[in-house]
Amino acid sequence: MKKAAYWFFLIGILSVIGCQRVQLAEYRKYESVAAVPRISVEEAKKDVDAGIAIIVDSRAESAYNAEHIAGSIRLPSGSADDKFTAISKGKKVIVYCSCASEGTSSSLAFQMNQKGIANTYAMVGGTHAWQTAGYPMEKSQ
């Protein structure tokens, strides 16, 4: 009887732990660039810190080298589709640029989405919002 109680306890604990995993949305092809979901810098930072998201810089090489979000991947807007192989398919993909309207970042997030990468987001406010929030930036070596 004790053995059965142990197994029920263990299954219950594992169920609770399993329910706390972050569930990513299933792939959905966006209808337009305007349909790309936006994400705040606070939410982006939380997701990156939790390891459930990667952050992608859509700016030109010179802007990236001057300063970029710490840990970001440089993948400029308009990149060839074969560059998307470096993007993790099991995480949120948060794209940023330097414009306040998310023009470049939403365009790249849309391009990635159209090529089958789910969970792409444009970060609201870009680099300025990230810096204003006091989050880390770095320069290329």
Side-chain angles (χ1 to χ4, degrees):
M1 191 64 172
K2 282 186 177 184
K3 194 173 192 178
Y6 169 77
W7 284 109
F8 282 119
F9 174 76
L10 184 59
I11 290 169
I13 294 295
L14 293 175
S15 296
V16 169
I17 292 170
C19 290
Q20 292 180 0
R21 287 188 192 155
V22 173
Q23 200 66 1
L24 295 175
E26 289 188 32
Y27 175 73
R28 176 179 64 87
K29 202 169 198 178
Y30 304 141
E31 295 175 16
S32 66
V33 173
V36 172
R38 300 318 198 249
I39 189 168
S40 70
V41 292
E42 295 81 13
E43 187 73 18
K45 177 79 163 84
K46 184 183 90 174
D47 290 347
V48 169
D49 288 349
I52 62 168
I54 60 169
I55 196 151
V56 174
D57 188 314
S58 65
R59 301 173 305 148
E61 184 175 12
S62 59
Y64 181 84
N65 289 340
E67 193 169 44
H68 56 271
I69 293 175
S72 64
I73 299 167
R74 185 172 118 31
L75 188 65
S77 186
S79 291
D81 297 345
D82 65 340
K83 300 287 184 191
F84 298 156
T85 57
I87 302 299
S88 173
K89 304 254 194 260
K91 295 187 177 193
K92 277 186 178 180
V93 179
I94 302 168
V95 185
Y96 75 93
C97 58
S98 54
C99 53
S101 64
E102 302 85 53
T104 308
S105 58
S106 59
S107 191
L108 180 59
F110 177 74
Q111 182 186 0
M112 288 191 283
N113 171 265
Q114 298 302 293
K115 296 300 177 186
I117 299 173
N119 303 304
T120 59
Y121 297 80
M123 189 175 75
V124 176
T127 53
H128 178 72
W130 187 271
Q131 288 174 312
T132 301
Y135 298 146
M137 300 287 287
E138 63 186 13
K139 297 175 193 269
S140 291
Q141 308 283 327

